[in-house]
Amino acid sequence: MNLDTLYQEVILDHYKNPLNKKLAPTFDAQVHHINPSCGDEITLNLTAVDGVITAITWDGVGCSISQASVSIASDLLVGKSFEQAEAISDDFVELMQSKGKKVGDESVLEDAVALAGVSQYPARIKCALLGWMAIKDASIQAQRK
Ligand code: ZN
């Protein structure tokens, strides 16, 4: 099995069996982000305790890349401090801007490296970043509380 096939399976698995896709009734920040160019849409709830993200839940519709990416991010960034989450997000943004030149550090990005190939398709990068930008936005709001 080559890497592309494996990565496609990771993305498809997150799309079919999304993690944390059930909005928690309580939260510190709620955001709604859309990607009009593709029709992707998510609502995301974030909870934090003492500077650590303790819950990220979401609901949404859209393409497999957008939905898989928010599933991956919501799993990866929970349990991280706001600072850690921001550093990991920055790494992911860098990967998405690499135009296919970077493969991503799996020890930092875990399943998100499966999205590396998206960086070769400028029109899809917004799909992949939607969930991450929503988490960033929610983190800023939660920290203001
Ligand atoms: Zn999309």
Side-chain angles (χ1 to χ4, degrees), residues 35 38 40 63 66 124 127:
N35 173 24
C38 182
D40 309 319
C63 69
S66 69
R124 310 310 302 276
C127 302

